[in-house]
Amino acid sequence: MYFKMRNIFKFYQSLLIKYPVRTQAAQAGILMGLGDQLAQNLIERRKFKDLDFIRTSHFAVIGFFMAGPATRTWYGILDKYIGSKGGTVVIKKVLCDQLLFAPTFLCVLLVSIGFLQGNDIDSLKHKLKSSYFQILMNNYKIWPMVQLINFYFIPLQYQVLLVQSVALLWNTYISYITNLEKNG
């Protein structure tokens, strides 16, 4: 078992070296889709026949085309312009991440989910007004600590993996919140 896991990790490392953005896009797509399935199965307690696989595919598409590439690119920008080592560097990165990237990305994410759900502009505005601030405040309860650990201990090529792993639960929450009116 140990050797199989080691081989899988070596294969993953080789993909990260050869195709960093594509590899991280794929892992983000898989984990965002999985987050939606967790929301449907564990929180909404849907039976298999009631699962919305279109909704899951929307989350996977957002992860693959938006979340994975955006976070990988953002972390590269932070590394290039702020640096990669030291306590002050980490604090600057977390502040930039949480004050610039998080609010913007969250807005783009909510609008993307809304469009894929078929919402019109008025529905999107209503959804942003009713849930954006709540989600952003909950973001600040979790992500600054995650990013402190991420930027201090984790090498750049693995930062998206750590974030997307934690985001598995976050994506479950986002899926539930963005589908609350549809389900309730």
Side-chain angles (χ1 to χ4, degrees), residues 138-151:
N138 286 329
N139 167 85
Y140 291 138
K141 293 174 186 175
I142 299 167
W143 290 106
M145 184 57 67
V146 170
Q147 293 296 45
L148 276 170
I149 293 165
N150 196 28
F151 294 141

Side-chain angles (χ1 to χ4, degrees), residues 20-38:
V21 175
R22 282 187 254 174
T23 301
Q24 293 171 341
Q27 78 191 14
I30 291 166
L31 291 170
M32 281 194 74
L34 187 56
D36 176 69
Q37 277 298 300
L38 287 173

Side-chain angles (χ1 to χ4, degrees), residues 72-117:
R72 174 58 181 95
T73 302
W74 174 245
Y75 294 163
I77 290 168
L78 290 176
D79 228 50
K80 180 178 180 180
Y81 292 103
I82 296 176
S84 59
K85 298 280 183 212
T88 305
V89 167
V90 170
I91 298 298
K92 286 178 185 177
K93 285 172 121 175
V94 171
L95 286 172
C96 285
D97 185 68
Q98 292 302 300
L99 297 176
L100 300 174
F101 185 79
T104 305
F105 182 78
L106 180 58
C107 184
V108 171
L109 177 65
L110 294 176
V111 168
S112 298
I113 292 168
F115 274 131
L116 289 173
Q117 290 173 337

Side-chain angles (χ1 to χ4, degrees), residues 45-57:
R45 299 197 182 276
R46 292 181 178 210
K47 293 184 167 99
F48 183 80
K49 67 180 178 68
D50 297 323
L51 292 175
D52 185 346
F53 291 105
I54 301 295
R55 175 178 135 182
T56 301
S57 70

